[in-house]
mmCIF file of all heavy atoms in Angstrom:
data_model
loop_
_atom_site.group_PDB
_atom_site.id
_atom_site.type_symbol
_atom_site.label_atom_id
_atom_site.label_comp_id
_atom_site.label_asym_id
_atom_site.label_seq_id
_atom_site.Cartn_x
_atom_site.Cartn_y
_atom_site.Cartn_z
ATOM 1 N N GLY A 1 -73.768 -109.298 36.132
ATOM 2 C CA GLY A 1 -74.622 -108.185 36.534
ATOM 3 C C GLY A 1 -74.666 -107.012 35.587
ATOM 4 O O GLY A 1 -75.255 -105.973 35.917
ATOM 5 N N CYS A 2 -74.063 -107.143 34.423
ATOM 6 C CA CYS A 2 -74.108 -106.062 33.437
ATOM 7 C C CYS A 2 -75.548 -105.848 32.962
ATOM 8 O O CYS A 2 -76.266 -106.805 32.657
ATOM 9 C CB CYS A 2 -73.200 -106.407 32.264
ATOM 10 S SG CYS A 2 -73.266 -105.234 30.899
ATOM 11 N N GLN A 3 -75.968 -104.597 32.873
ATOM 12 C CA GLN A 3 -77.339 -104.280 32.479
ATOM 13 C C GLN A 3 -77.503 -103.967 30.998
ATOM 14 O O GLN A 3 -78.611 -103.993 30.471
ATOM 15 C CB GLN A 3 -77.853 -103.093 33.293
ATOM 16 C CG GLN A 3 -78.035 -103.411 34.761
ATOM 17 C CD GLN A 3 -79.072 -104.502 34.974
ATOM 18 O OE1 GLN A 3 -80.206 -104.391 34.531
ATOM 19 N NE2 GLN A 3 -78.669 -105.575 35.636
ATOM 20 N N ALA A 4 -76.404 -103.658 30.317
ATOM 21 C CA ALA A 4 -76.496 -103.360 28.881
ATOM 22 C C ALA A 4 -75.118 -103.434 28.251
ATOM 23 O O ALA A 4 -74.103 -103.175 28.898
ATOM 24 C CB ALA A 4 -77.096 -101.973 28.641
ATOM 25 N N ALA A 5 -75.101 -103.807 26.977
ATOM 26 C CA ALA A 5 -73.897 -103.738 26.149
ATOM 27 C C ALA A 5 -74.147 -102.670 25.093
ATOM 28 O O ALA A 5 -75.182 -102.694 24.417
ATOM 29 C CB ALA A 5 -73.609 -105.078 25.500
ATOM 30 N N ILE A 6 -73.229 -101.742 24.965
ATOM 31 C CA ILE A 6 -73.387 -100.592 24.069
ATOM 32 C C ILE A 6 -72.282 -100.628 23.031
ATOM 33 O O ILE A 6 -71.143 -101.000 23.331
ATOM 34 C CB ILE A 6 -73.321 -99.281 24.874
ATOM 35 C CG1 ILE A 6 -74.353 -99.296 26.013
ATOM 36 C CG2 ILE A 6 -73.548 -98.073 23.974
ATOM 37 C CD1 ILE A 6 -74.057 -98.319 27.119
ATOM 38 N N LEU A 7 -72.608 -100.249 21.807
ATOM 39 C CA LEU A 7 -71.605 -100.186 20.744
ATOM 40 C C LEU A 7 -71.963 -99.081 19.762
ATOM 41 O O LEU A 7 -73.099 -98.587 19.736
ATOM 42 C CB LEU A 7 -71.476 -101.533 20.031
ATOM 43 C CG LEU A 7 -72.736 -102.200 19.472
ATOM 44 C CD1 LEU A 7 -73.142 -101.612 18.122
ATOM 45 C CD2 LEU A 7 -72.545 -103.700 19.345
ATOM 46 N N VAL A 8 -70.988 -98.685 18.963
ATOM 47 C CA VAL A 8 -71.177 -97.669 17.927
ATOM 48 C C VAL A 8 -70.812 -98.284 16.589
ATOM 49 O O VAL A 8 -69.631 -98.578 16.343
ATOM 50 C CB VAL A 8 -70.307 -96.425 18.187
ATOM 51 C CG1 VAL A 8 -70.412 -95.441 17.023
ATOM 52 C CG2 VAL A 8 -70.724 -95.747 19.485
ATOM 53 N N PRO A 9 -71.788 -98.541 15.712
ATOM 54 C CA PRO A 9 -71.465 -99.104 14.392
ATOM 55 C C PRO A 9 -70.518 -98.192 13.623
ATOM 56 O O PRO A 9 -70.702 -96.971 13.575
ATOM 57 C CB PRO A 9 -72.837 -99.197 13.709
ATOM 58 C CG PRO A 9 -73.820 -99.270 14.841
ATOM 59 C CD PRO A 9 -73.241 -98.394 15.906
ATOM 60 N N GLY A 10 -69.491 -98.793 13.020
ATOM 61 C CA GLY A 10 -68.482 -98.008 12.325
ATOM 62 C C GLY A 10 -68.932 -97.445 10.996
ATOM 63 O O GLY A 10 -68.308 -96.529 10.463
ATOM 64 N N GLU A 11 -70.018 -97.986 10.450
ATOM 65 C CA GLU A 11 -70.564 -97.478 9.200
ATOM 66 C C GLU A 11 -72.056 -97.794 9.150
ATOM 67 O O GLU A 11 -72.565 -98.609 9.931
ATOM 68 C CB GLU A 11 -69.842 -98.080 8.001
ATOM 69 C CG GLU A 11 -69.824 -99.587 7.983
ATOM 70 C CD GLU A 11 -68.930 -100.134 6.891
ATOM 71 O OE1 GLU A 11 -67.724 -99.795 6.868
ATOM 72 O OE2 GLU A 11 -69.441 -100.904 6.058
ATOM 73 N N GLU A 12 -72.753 -97.160 8.221
ATOM 74 C CA GLU A 12 -74.216 -97.253 8.165
ATOM 75 C C GLU A 12 -74.701 -98.687 8.041
ATOM 76 O O GLU A 12 -75.679 -99.091 8.695
ATOM 77 C CB GLU A 12 -74.727 -96.421 6.989
ATOM 78 C CG GLU A 12 -76.243 -96.233 6.959
ATOM 79 C CD GLU A 12 -76.750 -95.345 8.077
ATOM 80 O OE1 GLU A 12 -75.997 -94.464 8.547
ATOM 81 O OE2 GLU A 12 -77.907 -95.547 8.497
ATOM 82 N N SER A 13 -74.042 -99.500 7.214
ATOM 83 C CA SER A 13 -74.509 -100.865 6.972
ATOM 84 C C SER A 13 -74.467 -101.728 8.230
ATOM 85 O O SER A 13 -75.201 -102.718 8.348
ATOM 86 C CB SER A 13 -73.665 -101.520 5.880
ATOM 87 O OG SER A 13 -72.307 -101.647 6.305
ATOM 88 N N LEU A 14 -73.625 -101.373 9.194
ATOM 89 C CA LEU A 14 -73.476 -102.192 10.387
ATOM 90 C C LEU A 14 -74.640 -102.041 11.368
ATOM 91 O O LEU A 14 -74.807 -102.875 12.268
ATOM 92 C CB LEU A 14 -72.159 -101.869 11.080
ATOM 93 C CG LEU A 14 -70.905 -102.336 10.321
ATOM 94 C CD1 LEU A 14 -69.645 -101.883 11.054
ATOM 95 C CD2 LEU A 14 -70.901 -103.852 10.159
ATOM 96 N N PHE A 15 -75.446 -100.998 11.209
ATOM 97 C CA PHE A 15 -76.633 -100.883 12.060
ATOM 98 C C PHE A 15 -77.533 -102.103 11.868
ATOM 99 O O PHE A 15 -78.063 -102.655 12.825
ATOM 100 C CB PHE A 15 -77.398 -99.593 11.756
ATOM 101 C CG PHE A 15 -76.826 -98.377 12.427
ATOM 102 C CD1 PHE A 15 -75.845 -97.617 11.805
ATOM 103 C CD2 PHE A 15 -77.273 -97.984 13.682
ATOM 104 C CE1 PHE A 15 -75.311 -96.492 12.423
ATOM 105 C CE2 PHE A 15 -76.748 -96.863 14.313
ATOM 106 C CZ PHE A 15 -75.762 -96.119 13.676
ATOM 107 N N GLU A 16 -77.723 -102.530 10.636
ATOM 108 C CA GLU A 16 -78.548 -103.696 10.365
ATOM 109 C C GLU A 16 -77.873 -104.971 10.858
ATOM 110 O O GLU A 16 -78.537 -105.879 11.386
ATOM 111 C CB GLU A 16 -78.834 -103.801 8.869
ATOM 112 C CG GLU A 16 -79.702 -104.983 8.463
ATOM 113 C CD GLU A 16 -81.097 -104.944 9.068
ATOM 114 O OE1 GLU A 16 -81.514 -103.877 9.570
ATOM 115 O OE2 GLU A 16 -81.775 -105.993 9.040
ATOM 116 N N PHE A 17 -76.567 -105.066 10.708
ATOM 117 C CA PHE A 17 -75.819 -106.229 11.191
ATOM 118 C C PHE A 17 -76.059 -106.422 12.688
ATOM 119 O O PHE A 17 -76.367 -107.538 13.148
ATOM 120 C CB PHE A 17 -74.331 -106.042 10.906
ATOM 121 C CG PHE A 17 -73.434 -107.096 11.489
ATOM 122 C CD1 PHE A 17 -73.190 -108.281 10.813
ATOM 123 C CD2 PHE A 17 -72.829 -106.908 12.736
ATOM 124 C CE1 PHE A 17 -72.363 -109.262 11.356
ATOM 125 C CE2 PHE A 17 -71.996 -107.884 13.284
ATOM 126 C CZ PHE A 17 -71.770 -109.068 12.589
ATOM 127 N N TYR A 18 -75.928 -105.354 13.444
ATOM 128 C CA TYR A 18 -76.096 -105.471 14.893
ATOM 129 C C TYR A 18 -77.567 -105.594 15.289
ATOM 130 O O TYR A 18 -77.881 -106.227 16.315
ATOM 131 C CB TYR A 18 -75.438 -104.280 15.592
ATOM 132 C CG TYR A 18 -73.928 -104.346 15.557
ATOM 133 C CD1 TYR A 18 -73.170 -103.399 14.867
ATOM 134 C CD2 TYR A 18 -73.243 -105.371 16.205
ATOM 135 C CE1 TYR A 18 -71.787 -103.474 14.823
ATOM 136 C CE2 TYR A 18 -71.859 -105.453 16.169
ATOM 137 C CZ TYR A 18 -71.130 -104.498 15.484
ATOM 138 O OH TYR A 18 -69.760 -104.584 15.431
ATOM 139 N N ARG A 19 -78.462 -105.025 14.507
ATOM 140 C CA ARG A 19 -79.885 -105.180 14.811
ATOM 141 C C ARG A 19 -80.275 -106.650 14.792
ATOM 142 O O ARG A 19 -81.043 -107.120 15.648
ATOM 143 C CB ARG A 19 -80.736 -104.392 13.809
ATOM 144 C CG ARG A 19 -82.223 -104.343 14.166
ATOM 145 C CD ARG A 19 -83.051 -103.825 13.015
ATOM 146 N NE ARG A 19 -83.046 -104.768 11.887
ATOM 147 C CZ ARG A 19 -83.789 -105.884 11.849
ATOM 148 N NH1 ARG A 19 -84.583 -106.215 12.853
ATOM 149 N NH2 ARG A 19 -83.720 -106.683 10.802
ATOM 150 N N LYS A 20 -79.745 -107.391 13.841
ATOM 151 C CA LYS A 20 -80.044 -108.821 13.742
ATOM 152 C C LYS A 20 -79.465 -109.607 14.914
ATOM 153 O O LYS A 20 -79.831 -110.773 15.112
ATOM 154 C CB LYS A 20 -79.506 -109.374 12.421
ATOM 155 C CG LYS A 20 -80.224 -108.837 11.189
ATOM 156 C CD LYS A 20 -79.617 -109.396 9.917
ATOM 157 C CE LYS A 20 -80.362 -108.905 8.692
ATOM 158 N NZ LYS A 20 -79.759 -109.394 7.424
ATOM 159 N N ARG A 21 -78.586 -108.992 15.664
ATOM 160 C CA ARG A 21 -77.961 -109.670 16.798
ATOM 161 C C ARG A 21 -78.456 -109.115 18.135
ATOM 162 O O ARG A 21 -77.804 -109.277 19.165
ATOM 163 C CB ARG A 21 -76.440 -109.575 16.671
ATOM 164 C CG ARG A 21 -75.911 -110.500 15.570
ATOM 165 C CD ARG A 21 -74.685 -110.013 14.880
ATOM 166 N NE ARG A 21 -74.315 -110.933 13.797
ATOM 167 C CZ ARG A 21 -74.853 -110.898 12.562
ATOM 168 N NH1 ARG A 21 -75.784 -109.988 12.273
ATOM 169 N NH2 ARG A 21 -74.483 -111.772 11.642
ATOM 170 N N GLY A 22 -79.618 -108.474 18.085
ATOM 171 C CA GLY A 22 -80.288 -108.067 19.321
ATOM 172 C C GLY A 22 -80.066 -106.646 19.772
ATOM 173 O O GLY A 22 -80.557 -106.254 20.837
ATOM 174 N N TYR A 23 -79.359 -105.851 18.991
ATOM 175 C CA TYR A 23 -79.076 -104.473 19.375
ATOM 176 C C TYR A 23 -80.077 -103.509 18.731
ATOM 177 O O TYR A 23 -80.537 -103.732 17.605
ATOM 178 C CB TYR A 23 -77.644 -104.083 18.985
ATOM 179 C CG TYR A 23 -76.612 -104.804 19.814
ATOM 180 C CD1 TYR A 23 -76.235 -106.119 19.512
ATOM 181 C CD2 TYR A 23 -76.039 -104.199 20.925
ATOM 182 C CE1 TYR A 23 -75.310 -106.801 20.301
ATOM 183 C CE2 TYR A 23 -75.110 -104.874 21.712
ATOM 184 C CZ TYR A 23 -74.761 -106.172 21.396
ATOM 185 O OH TYR A 23 -73.855 -106.846 22.175
ATOM 186 N N ARG A 24 -80.405 -102.435 19.460
ATOM 187 C CA ARG A 24 -81.326 -101.418 18.981
ATOM 188 C C ARG A 24 -80.706 -100.039 19.203
ATOM 189 O O ARG A 24 -79.952 -99.834 20.150
ATOM 190 C CB ARG A 24 -82.663 -101.501 19.725
ATOM 191 C CG ARG A 24 -83.396 -102.835 19.553
ATOM 192 C CD ARG A 24 -83.891 -103.002 18.120
ATOM 193 N NE ARG A 24 -84.632 -104.256 17.938
ATOM 194 C CZ ARG A 24 -84.085 -105.404 17.540
ATOM 195 N NH1 ARG A 24 -82.783 -105.460 17.300
ATOM 196 N NH2 ARG A 24 -84.813 -106.482 17.390
ATOM 197 N N VAL A 25 -81.043 -99.107 18.335
ATOM 198 C CA VAL A 25 -80.532 -97.747 18.495
ATOM 199 C C VAL A 25 -80.972 -97.206 19.855
ATOM 200 O O VAL A 25 -82.152 -97.282 20.217
ATOM 201 C CB VAL A 25 -81.020 -96.825 17.369
ATOM 202 C CG1 VAL A 25 -80.595 -95.383 17.644
ATOM 203 C CG2 VAL A 25 -80.456 -97.285 16.025
ATOM 204 N N CYS A 26 -80.023 -96.680 20.599
ATOM 205 C CA CYS A 26 -80.343 -96.159 21.931
ATOM 206 C C CYS A 26 -79.996 -94.690 22.085
ATOM 207 O O CYS A 26 -80.476 -94.026 23.014
ATOM 208 C CB CYS A 26 -79.615 -96.974 23.007
ATOM 209 S SG CYS A 26 -77.808 -96.788 23.004
#
């Protein structure tokens, strides 16, 4: 029943890493 998974990229390059895995800036 979880509605969202949230994370904080540890560095700038990881934003793209997580974007490719379905995450978007929120």
Side-chain angles (χ1 to χ4, degrees):
C2 175
Q3 292 298 304
I6 305 160
L7 53 81
V8 174
E11 55 188 57
E12 190 69 28
S13 64
L14 290 176
F15 279 89
E16 180 62 15
F17 173 86
Y18 288 115
R19 188 192 67 78
K20 293 178 178 178
R21 287 149 183 83
Y23 291 81
R24 299 292 182 268
V25 174
C26 67

